[in-house]
Amino acid sequence: MSGVHPYLRMDGNGQEAVKFYEEALRAEVVGVQTFGEMPSNPEFPLPEEAKHRIMHAMLKVGDTVLMLSDTFPGDAYQLGNQVDVALILDEVSQSKAAFEKLQAGGDVLMPLQETPWSPSYGQVKDKFGVTWQISTEVKD
């Protein structure tokens, strides 16, 4: 297992949040990717208001990692639900096992699937209401 990290969910002000945390926490911005930088999909055209929203950002704060993304325009946003837990695993089989166990009594928000950034990524809300973002990071 690579780690467990806090994952903040913003409502369209992710760019501002990255700058704020960079200064307030003296964080190093490791990377920022917007929805507009993703490969286009003609079946799901990207609305203009989504292009500059953050799909994923990673900041290094001391020896820890803080992750962050914006909601997609139109997705529900509720104060109090803006922190997820990102679980980064080394193998797809580990991601599948953790996902299956965490979904027991909970709800699958996004089934495990291959994405441009992970061979196995999904989201599940466990029976306690905690949202987990499960991702596989294969090391070379």
Side-chain angles (χ1 to χ4, degrees):
M1 182 181 304
S2 295
V4 177
H5 310 288
Y7 203 110
L8 307 180
R9 188 181 315 274
M10 300 294 151
D11 193 28
N13 56 351
Q15 300 279 0
E16 178 185 349
V18 167
K19 289 176 184 155
F20 175 79
Y21 293 125
E22 180 181 23
E23 183 177 322
L25 305 175
R26 296 186 315 179
E28 173 193 349
V29 177
V30 177
V32 175
Q33 186 174 25
T34 64
F35 286 105
E37 294 171 329
M38 291 298 298
S40 63
N41 181 343
E43 293 180 32
F44 300 101
L46 189 64
E48 190 61 38
E49 64 268 22
K51 291 183 179 178
H52 298 290
R53 286 188 177 210
I54 293 178
M55 187 191 74
H56 178 71
M58 183 184 302
L59 294 88
K60 190 162 174 41
V61 183
D63 292 334
T64 63
V65 171
L66 175 65
M67 298 181 185
L68 176 152
S69 68
D70 277 311
T71 57
F72 198 78
D75 284 355
Y77 180 81
Q78 182 178 354
L79 286 176
N81 289 342
Q82 65 268 44
V83 179
D84 294 349
V85 181
L87 180 61
I88 313 299
L89 297 146
D90 300 325
E91 297 177 15
V92 171
S93 61
Q94 293 173 339
S95 292
K96 287 180 180 178
F99 194 89
E100 285 179 21
K101 290 175 183 174
L102 287 167
Q103 75 176 342
D107 296 308
V108 173
L109 304 176
M110 178 182 178
L112 277 177
Q113 59 192 276
E114 186 174 341
T115 64
W117 63 89
S118 173
S120 180
Y121 174 84
Q123 297 178 15
V124 64
K125 185 176 283 195
D126 70 19
K127 65 182 179 179
F128 301 105
V130 176
T131 299
W132 295 84
Q133 296 187 34
I134 311 294
S135 189
T136 306
E137 203 174 81
V138 178
K139 300 197 172 121
D140 297 328

